[in-house]
Amino acid sequence: MVLISWLKRSWLQALAHATGLLPLAWLIWDHLHGAFIVDPVREITTRTGRTALVLLVLSLACTPIHTLLGLKSVLRVRRGLGLYAFLYVALHFLTFAGLDYRFQWDLLGPAIFDQLYVLPGFAAGLILLVLAITSARGWQKRLGRNWKRLHRLVYLAGILAIVHFLWLVKDTGEPLRYGAIVALLLILRVPRVREAVSNVRR
Amino acid sequence: MPKISPSDITPEHAYLSRRSFMAGMGALLVSSVALSACGGQDPTPGPAPATMPPSPSANTDELGQRLTSYEAVSNYNNFYEFSLRKEDVARLARDFKTSPWTVEVAGLVHNPKTFGLEDLLAFTQEERVYRLRCVEAWSMVIPWLGFPLARLLKEVEPMTKARYVRFETLYDPEQMPGQKSPFYGWPYVEGLRLDEAMHELTILATGLYGSPLLPQNGAPVRLVVPWKYGFKSIKSIVRIELVEEMPVSLWMASAPREYGFFANVNPEVSHPRWSQATERLIGEGKRIRTTLFNGYGEQVAHLYEGMDLSQWY
């Protein structure tokens, strides 16, 4: 009963938690059932990376949905989605460093810094790390006005993630589709565009 | 420069005709002979995985690297004519028609000829255990069945003008749905300089692991050039043409800055977007350092003497 009334009040949060946790559960399930027969490292790397991007896009979509559609409740899941995105970024990096390169530092250094496609991903990951740490309320208070400025770096992280994706594939179709969505979500934040679109709505 | 003889790659005792492979004759005997010839190996062959067809003659390449499992070789394929997803190719290629099949050999030759598959199989087939290094920085070790391309080229008698060999894959969008994609200039085209094509290591493969090629591996006949990135080893060939000018491959046409004509495996020359310093050996769960010419430098380095390999990538 408690659960049902919580779900009624907070169905959106429940949905956000499910969106954040189910891909991980699915990945573990697939791994345990031997779905990754040939190249599990690549499979885990691409799945955690793709999930991180999807969650980052969802978190970036919250603000425009609020301003354009007036749905206030989405703002309550924005931080959670961002943190889940960071969870998958962390898993993605650990897969790369640990499962793929086995923490062989002599190989790992060049692998990160000499590979064009890795750099934007690595930078996006560092940004999300800082944002994840400072997402706690304490930091929010401590940083005051600067907190908002700092957290605008998430736009940069979104762009870097797309560049990372674009540079690692031979076929650019999928990253370009995600890129279009990220571009739209960023354009909708431009004050003039935002006003124009919300005027149309009224 | 020492000339490579086939016995440097696969022990001579292991030279068996395709038919005796298919019959699976004395597979165990052959593998123990091959292993003792490799030296320092445990002479007892391990139990074969359940999915493995007739046994290959060796369990490792000449460097002692274990063969990639048949399951991996036949389920992890870059074959954009079917799918961009390596795991989907086997399923989508299942019904690919490989018979009847002909390979037209034409261009600057005195004796142009169209080979049926049976003509190609009439060349003495031998096993070659080669490392395959993909430009995406993964690799496999595969026991191919096939014959040196040089033998086929000698039959058609290249003219002295001929300097390059151009290869073409079947164009049939009905069977190969990937060819409906407008992003690539189908059909798939690849090329070799004539001396590369005539090199003893360059083979036309018709099988692997002692069985005929599966569609996902480029059935019924494909090129294998072990010192170059995998995309040079063009699959499902229907046309071979001797030409004077350097052919433009599909990858050169679609991304000239990223894919050159030579595509020799080289850890020092990075792809513009990723490093080629290391590779993930499929099935071994480990990353190894990539070697120049994929470890075949002794046999092929002389082909590129005086060439700046970072310019001719």
Side-chain angles (χ1 to χ4, degrees), chain A residues 14 29 52 59 61 64 70 73 79-80 118 130 132 153 155 157 161 178 196:
Chain A
W29 173 273
S59 142
S73 52
R79 178 170 64 174
V118 175
V130 172
L153 280 176
Y155 309 150
Y178 281 110

Side-chain angles (χ1 to χ4, degrees), chain B residues 147-194:
Chain B
F147 60 95
L149 174 64
R151 281 199 227 148
L152 178 133
L153 293 179
K154 277 173 197 153
E155 270 201 19
V156 297
E157 300 168 31
M159 296 176 183
T160 43
K161 274 198 298 191
R163 294 193 51 223
Y164 294 92
V165 187
R166 182 182 181 277
F167 304 84
E168 211 175 287
T169 295
L170 176 72
Y171 179 69
D172 184 356
E174 286 312 306
Q175 285 205 82
M176 297 172 141
Q179 290 179 334
K180 291 176 183 163
S181 159
F183 296 106
Y184 300 102
W186 307 109
Y188 200 91
V189 168
E190 262 307 338
L192 293 175
R193 216 169 53 192
L194 190 56

Side-chain angles (χ1 to χ4, degrees), chain B residues 97-158:
Chain B
K97 262 187 61 153
T98 56
S99 167
W101 192 276
T102 56
V103 180
E104 187 192 0
V105 187
L108 302 173
V109 293
H110 293 294
N111 184 23
K113 193 174 164 185
T114 298
F115 293 82
L117 187 56
E118 54 296 346
D119 305 322
L120 297 176
L121 292 174
F123 287 96
T124 309
Q125 309 285 309
E126 53 192 74
E127 188 171 71
R128 299 283 182 99
V129 177
Y130 282 160
R131 294 173 289 285
L132 175 91
R133 169 59 158 81
C134 180
V135 74
E136 298 167 349
W138 53 266
S139 62
M140 294 183 174
V141 182
I142 303 174
W144 300 102
L145 271 181
F147 60 95
L149 174 64
R151 281 199 227 148
L152 178 133
L153 293 179
K154 277 173 197 153
E155 270 201 19
V156 297
E157 300 168 31

